[in-house]
Structure formats: structure tokens, C-alpha cells
């Protein structure tokens, strides 16, 4: 895999304090591995997202990651891809990818995001 294929672009909600904290936590754990990750705040970037085939409303409700080949991964697939790059997070990536765990975790994730967006008055209608 070439260096450019190894890069990730993470589209995250920079207007969300917990999302920003999660990014900083990831960067601390990733160390130098994190140098291959570009963080893109989705705030005010609807047209750019659409050009990449990402629905801006979906981007607000779930994480999206573009790999070095231009493939877009979303929701838990995006988290698994991102976490699998960091040795401390690899076990968690494996765990949430298990067929028994994944559906329940996805449901909890969407509920948490929906509550966060509703609480901050940003829940899309």
C-alpha cells in the first residue's frame, strides 16, 4: 500500500464538543500513525460533501471516512477503519465489528447521536 493509499480523511462534526474531544483523544492514542489522518470539519461544507457523494444530513448523523482510494466508509465501518489503525483501539474495532455486537452498537450509536443533535437543536427534520 502506498503512502497516499494509507491516508484517511475523516469528516466529523466540528460544532460538536464531544466529537472534537473524541478527535483529540484519537490523535493522542494514534501518535505518529495519526499523521496519515486528515480531519475535515463538515460545518458549512455541504457542497463539498455532495461532490464526494456524501449526504450532508447523513454526515451530521454518522461518521464518514474516505480512504486513500477514494472509497467512502460510513457509520460503524468508518469507526472500524479508523480505530483499526491504532493498536490500542484494534480490539475495540474488532469487537464492534462482531455480528452479535454490531447491530446493538449501531442502534445505541444512532440513538446517542440523535439525542445529542436534538439537545443542541441541530436535529435535521
Amino acid at each position: 500500500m502506498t503512502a497516499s493509499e494509507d491516508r484517511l480523511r475523516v469528516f466529523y462534526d466540528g460544532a460538536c464538543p464531544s466529537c472534537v474531544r473524541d478527535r483529540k483523544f484519537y490523535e493522542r492514542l494514534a501518535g505518529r500513525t495519526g499523521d496519515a489522518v486528515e480531519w475535515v470539519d463538515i460545518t458549512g461544507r455541504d457542497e463539498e460533501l455532495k461532490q464526494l457523494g456524501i449526504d450532508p444530513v447523513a454526515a451530521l448523523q454518522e461518521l464518514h471516512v474516505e480512504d486513500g482510494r477514494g472509497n467512502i466508509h460510513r457509520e460503524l465501518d468508518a469507526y472500524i477503519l479508523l480505530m483499526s489503525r491504532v493498536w490500542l483501539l484494534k480490539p475495540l474495532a474488532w469487537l464492534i465489528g462482531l455480528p452479535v455486537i454490531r447491530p446493538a452498537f449501531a442502534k445505541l450509536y444512532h440513538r446517542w447521536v440523535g439525542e445529542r443533535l436534538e439537545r443542541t437543536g441541530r436535529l435535521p427534520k
Side-chain angles (χ1 to χ4, degrees):
M1 189 177 285
T2 66
S4 64
E5 289 177 333
D6 197 38
R7 295 198 60 75
L8 297 178
R9 284 182 24 159
V10 179
F11 299 91
Y12 77 105
D13 183 2
C16 161
S18 64
C19 301
V20 173
R21 278 193 304 275
D22 289 348
R23 171 192 169 173
K24 290 178 181 177
F25 180 68
Y26 178 87
E27 290 173 325
R28 277 196 312 274
L29 290 180
R32 295 185 64 90
T33 304
D35 293 345
V37 177
E38 175 189 355
W39 296 87
V40 180
D41 180 358
I42 62 168
T43 308
R45 295 186 118 137
D46 289 4
E47 289 308 312
E48 180 182 345
L49 292 169
K50 288 176 188 175
Q51 289 175 2
L52 292 168
I54 301 172
D55 175 11
V57 172
L60 190 62
Q61 295 175 321
E62 55 193 27
L63 186 71
H64 287 69
V65 174
E66 180 182 34
D67 66 26
R69 293 189 173 118
N71 300 312
I72 302 293
H73 306 262
R74 61 179 207 75
E75 196 202 37
L76 294 185
D77 290 333
Y79 279 101
I80 291 168
L81 177 61
L82 189 59
M83 290 189 304
S84 67
R85 301 284 183 101
V86 179
W87 72 271
L88 279 171
L89 298 176
K90 279 184 184 185
L92 183 58
W94 174 81
L95 183 68
I96 66 172
L98 290 174
V100 175
I101 305 271
R102 187 183 184 114
F105 193 79
K107 188 174 182 176
L108 286 172
Y109 169 72
H110 282 284
R111 187 167 135 203
W112 175 79
V113 170
E115 288 172 359
R116 172 183 60 84
L117 291 171
E118 187 172 13
R119 188 174 52 251
T120 60
R122 299 173 58 228
L123 185 64
K125 297 188 189 321

